[in-house]
């Protein structure tokens, strides 16, 4: 039995039910909350709090049994997800679960013969609800605009994204707010990429991303990218024209009084007819 599986953790804020043992088995092994006669696990804490408890696997049979532990309906992290319990022995396995709202699920154990036992697990997230997020590490890449979303609050967020980009001669990208196909739990960071087909071949572009969510959550970040074509215009005349256009682009990026970028300029991958 792993040493981690013998360590019993406790959390003062964890509220536990008391009653008769749960998931008793007549065929050799059983599953129950550790530390007393409880029919279920019950945990309460502020949203985003990591709560701890311990589950017991008791083997009353005459031979060792190996069980696999997992959570159903609730994400549970065990100190040991696979446990071998010798005959007439009890293994106590600590686990953690994050309070992210009022949830109900189960802790399940299954042996090699397919027999399973389960114990109900109920979560309640207390404390004040706070919706907050940030947009970070915005960069323009060959496959689009990469960025990170971070949930800085205590509620699960369903973010909405708006994208705007201005070039030398005005807006080159303007996407109104739309829902993203993700849900962001408290404390989680998510790396995403916004596709950008038809990017400019030659331009200096300021890109801004704005993300909102229910409860007043709002975050925004910007970056700057320069697009320079390679092999797009043949001949000496084309080279002169390209050089003049490039001078205009670079001059704009250095002109006084312009808005300061939120992050260092990004030299985008060369684009144009040759790519």
């Amino acid at each position: 039995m792993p040493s981690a599986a013998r360590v019993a953790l406790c959390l003062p804020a964890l509220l536990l039910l008391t009653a008769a043992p749960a998931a008793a088995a007549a065929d050799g092994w059983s599953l129950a909350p550790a530390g007393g006669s409880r029919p279920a696990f019950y945990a309460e804490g502020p949203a985003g709090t990591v709560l701890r408890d311990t589950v017991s696997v008791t083997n009353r049979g005459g031979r060792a049994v190996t069980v696999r532990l997992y959570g159903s309906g609730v994400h549970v992290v065990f100190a040991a997800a696979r446990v071998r319990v010798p005959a007439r022995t009890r293994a106590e396995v600590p686990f953690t679960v994050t309070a992210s709202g009022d949830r109900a699920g189960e802790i399940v154990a299954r042996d090699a013969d397919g027999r399973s036992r389960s114990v109900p697990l109920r979560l309640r997230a207390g404390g004040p609800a706070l919706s907050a997020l940030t947009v970070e590490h915005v960069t323009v890449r060959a496959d689009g605009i990469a960025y990170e979303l971070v949930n800085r609050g205590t509620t699960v967020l369903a973010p909405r994204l708006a994208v705007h980009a201005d070039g030398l001669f005005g807006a080159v990208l303007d996407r109104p707010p739309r829902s993203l196909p993700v849900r962001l739990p408290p404390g989680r960071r998510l790396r995403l990429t916004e596709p950008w087909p038809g990017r400019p071949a030659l331009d200096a572009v300021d890109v801004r991303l704005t993300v909102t969510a229910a409860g007043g959550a709002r975050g925004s970040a910007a970056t700057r990218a320069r697009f320079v074509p390679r092999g797009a215009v043949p001949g000496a005349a084309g080279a002169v024209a390209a050089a003049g256009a490039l001078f205009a682009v670079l001059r704009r990026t250095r002109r006084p009084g312009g808005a300061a970028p939120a992050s260092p300029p990004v030299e985008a991958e060369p684009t144009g007819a040759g790519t």
Side-chain angles (χ1 to χ4, degrees), residues 34-52:
S37 299
R38 296 182 281 156
F41 294 99
Y42 178 81
E44 181 175 358
T49 301
V50 176
L51 306 173
R52 296 174 172 83

Side-chain angles (χ1 to χ4, degrees), residues 30-126:
S30 62
L31 184 73
S37 299
R38 296 182 281 156
F41 294 99
Y42 178 81
E44 181 175 358
T49 301
V50 176
L51 306 173
R52 296 174 172 83
D53 206 331
T54 304
V55 63
S56 290
V57 183
T58 302
N59 181 10
R60 295 183 177 85
R63 62 177 183 174
V65 63
T66 299
V67 300
R68 183 173 65 90
L69 296 166
Y70 59 93
S72 176
V74 177
H75 181 64
V76 182
V77 178
F78 295 93
R82 187 178 181 88
V83 182
R84 184 180 184 274
V85 188
R88 293 175 290 278
T89 304
R90 181 176 68 246
E92 295 190 346
V93 184
F95 66 87
T96 61
V97 61
T98 302
S100 59
D102 295 347
R103 306 284 297 277
E106 292 179 325
I107 288 181
V108 183
R110 185 181 299 274
D111 65 16
D113 296 325
R115 296 171 296 188
S116 64
R117 304 287 178 264
S118 63
V119 181
L121 188 155
R122 301 181 181 90
L123 293 176
R124 180 178 176 82

Side-chain angles (χ1 to χ4, degrees), residues 231-251:
V233 183
V240 173
L246 178 59
F247 174 79
V249 170
L250 297 179
R251 185 169 179 270

Side-chain angles (χ1 to χ4, degrees), residues 2-270:
S3 59
R6 298 195 295 267
V7 180
L9 302 178
C10 61
L11 185 69
L14 198 63
L15 306 181
L16 304 172
L17 296 177
T18 57
D27 55 0
W29 64 275
S30 62
L31 184 73
S37 299
R38 296 182 281 156
F41 294 99
Y42 178 81
E44 181 175 358
T49 301
V50 176
L51 306 173
R52 296 174 172 83
D53 206 331
T54 304
V55 63
S56 290
V57 183
T58 302
N59 181 10
R60 295 183 177 85
R63 62 177 183 174
V65 63
T66 299
V67 300
R68 183 173 65 90
L69 296 166
Y70 59 93
S72 176
V74 177
H75 181 64
V76 182
V77 178
F78 295 93
R82 187 178 181 88
V83 182
R84 184 180 184 274
V85 188
R88 293 175 290 278
T89 304
R90 181 176 68 246
E92 295 190 346
V93 184
F95 66 87
T96 61
V97 61
T98 302
S100 59
D102 295 347
R103 306 284 297 277
E106 292 179 325
I107 288 181
V108 183
R110 185 181 299 274
D111 65 16
D113 296 325
R115 296 171 296 188
S116 64
R117 304 287 178 264
S118 63
V119 181
L121 188 155
R122 301 181 181 90
L123 293 176
R124 180 178 176 82
L130 172 64
S131 297
L133 61 82
T134 56
V135 185
E136 302 177 3
H137 304 132
V138 180
T139 57
V140 178
R141 306 188 315 192
D143 58 345
I145 306 168
Y147 63 100
E148 292 183 5
L149 291 183
V150 186
N151 187 338
R152 303 291 185 182
T154 60
T155 63
V156 178
L157 300 178
R160 292 172 57 83
L161 171 69
V163 185
H164 187 83
D166 284 320
L168 276 171
F169 304 106
V172 295
L173 181 64
D174 190 15
R175 295 178 184 169
R178 77 179 195 283
S179 296
L180 297 175
V182 297
R183 291 179 64 83
L184 194 59
R188 291 290 298 276
R189 178 183 295 269
L190 188 61
R191 182 74 170 173
L192 299 169
T193 298
E194 177 72 6
W196 189 1
R199 300 182 311 170
L202 176 65
D203 211 339
V205 179
D206 295 316
V207 181
R208 177 167 294 277
L209 275 59
T210 302
V211 180
T212 58
R218 179 184 176 88
S220 183
T223 190
R224 174 173 291 178
R226 292 189 294 266
F227 298 99
V228 181
R230 182 173 56 193
V233 183
V240 173
L246 178 59
F247 174 79
V249 170
L250 297 179
R251 185 169 179 270
R252 178 182 181 272
T253 63
R254 296 193 300 264
R255 68 186 181 189
S263 58
V266 175
E267 188 72 34
E269 180 178 306

